[in-house]
Amino acid sequence: MKVPKNRRLIILLSSLGLTLLISTISCEKETFNEDRLIGKWYVEYNTFFYYNGTELDNEETETYNEGEFTWEFFEDGTLIINEDGDEDNCDWEVLENYLLICEQPECFKLEIIKLTKDTLVVKMDYEYKDYDEIEEIIITVKSVLEFHLKKY
């Protein structure tokens, strides 16, 4: 059965429009309701992921939850981080899917993995140079620090 030219054009344009719509929706970044951050959170546990080059080194990866560690977010953009009674006063803001925490002169950009009314998971990637004594060369070490927090 032969489809008329104008009908084929309509089908083609409809398919193209649907494809563009689906690709636009799938490429949108997740946005987070930053109002959910307001309040006091306790760090349930931290995980350090260590990489050997680009591969995760499971033997070096460690999870821990030592001492009392809280983050308290305020509406005015301030944050108090308390680790076993040692307080740091910081500023915070959400930029797309990142949480920016600044304690002058340093700022840390943490990717928001999950934010619900009572759960916050953020991660921070960082790299540093280290000396490999076996190979006698300087290598770049990649680590990821992930915080899992629960709201009080």
Side-chain angles (χ1 to χ4, degrees), residues 48-52 55-57 60-62 128 142-143:
F48 279 102
F49 298 95
Y50 294 96
Y51 289 81
N52 184 358
E55 294 184 26
L56 180 63
D57 186 345
E60 294 293 324
T61 295
E62 51 189 324
Y128 59 93
K142 178 184 174 191
S143 298

Side-chain angles (χ1 to χ4, degrees), residues 1 7-8 16 26 30 43 48 52 55 57-58 60 62 69 75 84 86 88 92 97 102 117 129 134-135 139 143 148:
M1 175 179 186
R7 178 93 169 133
R8 283 188 289 175
L16 181 61
S26 65
E30 186 173 356
V43 177
F48 279 102
N52 184 358
E55 294 184 26
D57 186 345
N58 287 317
E60 294 293 324
E62 51 189 324
F69 195 2
E75 289 181 8
D84 292 325
D86 184 23
D88 291 313
W92 70 273
N97 60 327
C102 297
K117 65 180 181 172
K129 302 287 185 197
I134 296 170
E135 299 291 327
I139 58 171
S143 298
H148 293 257

Side-chain angles (χ1 to χ4, degrees), residues 34-42 70-75 78-80 92 150-152:
E34 63 187 65
D35 292 339
R36 288 186 172 171
L37 288 172
I38 306 304
K40 194 169 186 176
W41 299 77
Y42 70 92
T70 61
W71 297 9
E72 189 168 5
F73 293 88
F74 297 93
E75 289 181 8
T78 58
L79 165 67
I80 296 175
W92 70 273
K150 289 288 185 186
K151 202 167 204 177
Y152 277 107

Side-chain angles (χ1 to χ4, degrees), residues 16-29:
L16 181 61
L18 182 60
T19 302
L20 288 172
L21 177 64
I22 290 170
S23 66
T24 301
I25 291 170
S26 65
C27 291
E28 287 182 13
K29 291 187 177 184

Side-chain angles (χ1 to χ4, degrees), residues 80-132:
I80 296 175
I81 297 176
N82 185 323
E83 189 171 5
D84 292 325
D86 184 23
E87 286 189 356
D88 291 313
N89 294 303
C90 307
D91 295 313
W92 70 273
E93 69 178 295
V94 173
L95 303 171
E96 293 181 358
N97 60 327
Y98 289 94
L99 174 61
L100 188 65
I101 297 177
C102 297
E103 183 183 27
Q104 295 304 330
E106 288 187 291
C107 287
F108 301 95
K109 188 175 178 183
L110 293 90
E111 182 179 358
I112 301 171
I113 305 301
K114 182 178 183 179
L115 176 58
T116 66
K117 65 180 181 172
D118 63 354
T119 302
L120 172 61
V121 179
V122 292
K123 76 172 187 171
M124 180 175 65
D125 298 348
Y126 58 98
E127 293 183 352
Y128 59 93
K129 302 287 185 197
D130 197 10
Y131 182 72
D132 184 329

